[in-house]
Amino acid sequence: MPAPWEIRCNKKSKPKHGRAEMDSTGETSEKMQMKKEITLLNGVSLIVGNMIGSGIFVSPRGVLMYSASYGLSLVIWALGGIFSLFGALCYAELGTSIMKSGASYAYILEAFGGFVAFIRLWSSLLIIEPTTQAVIAITFANYIVQPIFPHCEPPYDAVRLIAAACVCSLTFINCVNVKWGTRVQDVFTYAKVMALFLVISVGLYKIGKGETENLRAPFEGSATNPGMIALALYSALFSYSGWDTLNYVTEEMQNPERNLPLSIAISMPIVTAIYLLTNIAYYVVLDMSALLTSDAVAVTFGGETLSYAKWIIPIVVAMSCYSGLNSSIIAASRLFYVGAREGHLPDSLSLIHVKCFTPVPALLFNGLMTLIYLLVEDVFLLINYYCFNYWLFVGLSVAGLICLRYTQPHRPRPIKLSLFFPIVYCLCSLFLVIVPLYSDTINSLIGIGIALSGVPAYYLGVHLPVEKRPKCLQWLSATTTKYVQMLFYCALSDMDMEPATAKNK
C-alpha cells in the first residue's frame, strides 16, 4: 500500500450525455502526466533559440583569433555546422527509438546503465546547468543596465538582482503552463532572428556597394598550426551547442516520431546559414583588429552602421539571452524530473502539478540552484570546469547509439542512420575531450573531480538496497516528498505509479 502522499489524482470525465463515464473501479482517471503540447514550430524555436544565444552577438572572435584569417574562419564555421548536424542526426535516431525525455541522460542510461547515467546527471546538477544559466542571466542583466551606465561599470548588486529576477520570472512562467514557456520562446526567438537578419542585410548592402576591402585575399595569414585550427573549431562548436534541446522534452512533443527529426532538419541549416552570413557581415564592416579587441562585436557593428538605431543591438542581445535561458530552464528541469523518475534523484523532483501538468518541484529546484550560483562572484570561471565533462557525455550518448545497434538490434527505429555518422561524431568528440585536457589541464581535472564526487552519492542513494540505505536519508526523502506534494499541489505521474503498482501486485 503506498504512503498517503503517494496518490494519483483521478478526474471524472464528463461525456456529452452529462453522466460521468465509469470504469471498472467506478470512474475514469485522466492520466497524470505532462501534456503533449510542444508543436513542430515550438520545437524549431527551442532549438534555434538555444543555439543562437548571446555568443554570435557578443564574442564570435574566438574562431577568428585562432584561425587568423577571414576565409579560414568561415570554413571552420561551416565545418562546425556540419559536425553539429551529424550529432543532431544521431540524436534524431536516439530520440525516436528511445521515447524518453532527458536527452543524453536517458540514452546513456539505456546503453550503459545507471552508474554512468548518474554521473552525467550529477555533473549537470552540480556544475553544467546552474553555471550556464547563471552566466546567461548575468549577461542579460548587463545588457539591460548598459544604457543606464554607458560610461562606467554597472553596479554589481543591480546586475545580480536583475539576473535573479530574470531566472525567477522564467521559472514562474514555466511552472504555470508549458504553453506559456513555448510562447515566450517563440516570440524571443523571432526577435533575435530578425535582428540577425538586420545585421546580415547591412552586410549584404555593403557588399552590393562594393565595400569588400576586408574580404580581399581572405585566406592571407591563415593559421597552419593544427593546434590553432583545433582551438578555432572548438570555439565554433560551443556556439553551435544546444541542438539537443528538444530531446530533453521528447515526451511532451506532439507526434515526436515526425516532429523531432523534422525540427532538427529545419533548425540546423537555418542556424548554420545565419552564423555564416552574420560573420560575413561583421567581416565586411569591421577590420580584424576591431573584431579581436571588441568585447561585444554586434554592439561595435551597430555603432558603425546603425547610427541612431544602434540602441537596438543591446536590447536584442538581452532578448537573445532571455530566450536562451528559457530553453535552458525547460531542458534542465526535464532532466532533473526524469532523473528523479528513474530513482537517481529524490522522489519529490518527479512530482507534477495536478492542474498545470508541469514539473513544478524540478523547475523550482533548478531555479534555486541557479540563484545560489548567482551568489558566486567569479561564476564565469566555473564554465572552465565542465568543457571536458560536456563533450565526454555527448560523445558517450552517441556511442550509445552504436552500442544499442548490437545489443538491441530489434528495437523499433523510425529513423536509422548509416553508422558512418555516429562513428565520425564519436571520433571528433574524442578529439574534443582531449583538447581541454591538453590546453586546460587543471580546470579539466577539477571538472573530472566534480563528476567523480557523485560516486559516494550513487553508492548510498542508488546502489545500496533500500533496506540498507541510511535511515536518515530515507526519512528525509519521504518527508520532503510529502510536504512538497502538499505545498505545491503535486502528485506522482502515472508513469511513476504504474510500475510500482504492478510490482506490489
Short mmCIF file of all heavy atoms in Angstrom, two decimals, residues 80 92 174 264 323 334 342 388 404 408 497 502:
data_model
loop_
_atom_site.label_atom_id
_atom_site.label_comp_id
_atom_site.label_asym_id
_atom_site.label_seq_id
_atom_site.Cartn_x
_atom_site.Cartn_y
_atom_site.Cartn_z
N GLY A 80 31.93 23.45 -38.34
CA GLY A 80 31.22 23.32 -37.07
C GLY A 80 29.75 23.01 -37.27
O GLY A 80 29.17 22.19 -36.55
N ALA A 92 18.43 12.43 -33.49
CA ALA A 92 17.12 12.18 -34.10
C ALA A 92 16.80 10.69 -34.05
O ALA A 92 15.66 10.30 -33.74
CB ALA A 92 17.10 12.70 -35.54
N ASN A 174 7.20 28.93 -16.58
CA ASN A 174 7.22 27.52 -16.94
C ASN A 174 6.51 26.64 -15.92
O ASN A 174 6.10 25.53 -16.25
CB ASN A 174 8.66 27.06 -17.14
CG ASN A 174 9.23 27.51 -18.47
OD1 ASN A 174 8.91 26.98 -19.53
ND2 ASN A 174 10.08 28.53 -18.43
N ILE A 264 14.80 19.19 -36.14
CA ILE A 264 16.26 19.19 -36.28
C ILE A 264 16.66 19.52 -37.71
O ILE A 264 17.56 20.33 -37.95
CB ILE A 264 16.83 17.83 -35.83
CG1 ILE A 264 16.70 17.68 -34.31
CG2 ILE A 264 18.29 17.68 -36.25
CD1 ILE A 264 17.00 16.28 -33.80
N SER A 323 15.71 34.37 -24.17
CA SER A 323 15.25 33.19 -24.90
C SER A 323 16.13 31.99 -24.62
O SER A 323 15.63 30.87 -24.37
CB SER A 323 15.26 33.51 -26.40
OG SER A 323 15.14 32.35 -27.17
N ARG A 334 13.45 19.21 -17.06
CA ARG A 334 13.04 17.88 -17.53
C ARG A 334 14.14 16.85 -17.23
O ARG A 334 13.83 15.69 -16.95
CB ARG A 334 12.75 17.91 -19.03
CG ARG A 334 11.32 18.27 -19.40
CD ARG A 334 10.86 19.55 -18.79
NE ARG A 334 9.52 19.94 -19.20
CZ ARG A 334 8.98 21.10 -18.89
NH1 ARG A 334 9.66 21.98 -18.15
NH2 ARG A 334 7.76 21.40 -19.28
N GLU A 342 13.65 8.03 -12.52
CA GLU A 342 14.45 6.81 -12.64
C GLU A 342 15.09 6.40 -11.32
O GLU A 342 15.81 5.41 -11.26
CB GLU A 342 15.56 7.01 -13.69
CG GLU A 342 15.06 7.28 -15.09
CD GLU A 342 14.38 6.08 -15.73
OE1 GLU A 342 14.60 4.96 -15.24
OE2 GLU A 342 13.62 6.25 -16.70
N PHE A 388 35.39 19.48 -20.45
CA PHE A 388 35.71 18.06 -20.58
C PHE A 388 34.46 17.21 -20.40
O PHE A 388 34.15 16.33 -21.21
CB PHE A 388 36.77 17.68 -19.56
CG PHE A 388 37.09 16.21 -19.51
CD1 PHE A 388 38.09 15.68 -20.32
CD2 PHE A 388 36.41 15.36 -18.65
CE1 PHE A 388 38.38 14.32 -20.28
CE2 PHE A 388 36.69 14.01 -18.61
CZ PHE A 388 37.68 13.49 -19.43
N LEU A 404 23.69 0.24 -28.93
CA LEU A 404 22.33 -0.29 -28.98
C LEU A 404 22.03 -1.01 -30.29
O LEU A 404 21.16 -1.88 -30.34
CB LEU A 404 21.32 0.84 -28.76
CG LEU A 404 21.29 1.43 -27.34
CD1 LEU A 404 20.42 2.67 -27.29
CD2 LEU A 404 20.78 0.39 -26.34
N GLN A 408 20.59 -4.26 -28.91
CA GLN A 408 19.13 -4.28 -29.12
C GLN A 408 18.83 -4.12 -30.62
O GLN A 408 18.27 -3.12 -31.05
CB GLN A 408 18.47 -3.17 -28.32
CG GLN A 408 18.69 -3.26 -26.82
CD GLN A 408 18.01 -2.14 -26.06
OE1 GLN A 408 17.07 -1.51 -26.53
NE2 GLN A 408 18.49 -1.87 -24.85
N MET A 497 3.78 5.72 -11.16
CA MET A 497 2.96 4.88 -10.29
C MET A 497 2.77 3.46 -10.83
O MET A 497 2.75 2.50 -10.09
CB MET A 497 1.59 5.53 -10.12
CG MET A 497 1.61 6.84 -9.35
SD MET A 497 2.08 6.61 -7.64
CE MET A 497 0.74 5.58 -7.07
N ALA A 502 2.31 -2.43 -10.33
CA ALA A 502 2.49 -3.78 -10.88
C ALA A 502 3.37 -4.62 -9.97
O ALA A 502 3.14 -5.81 -9.75
CB ALA A 502 3.08 -3.69 -12.28
#
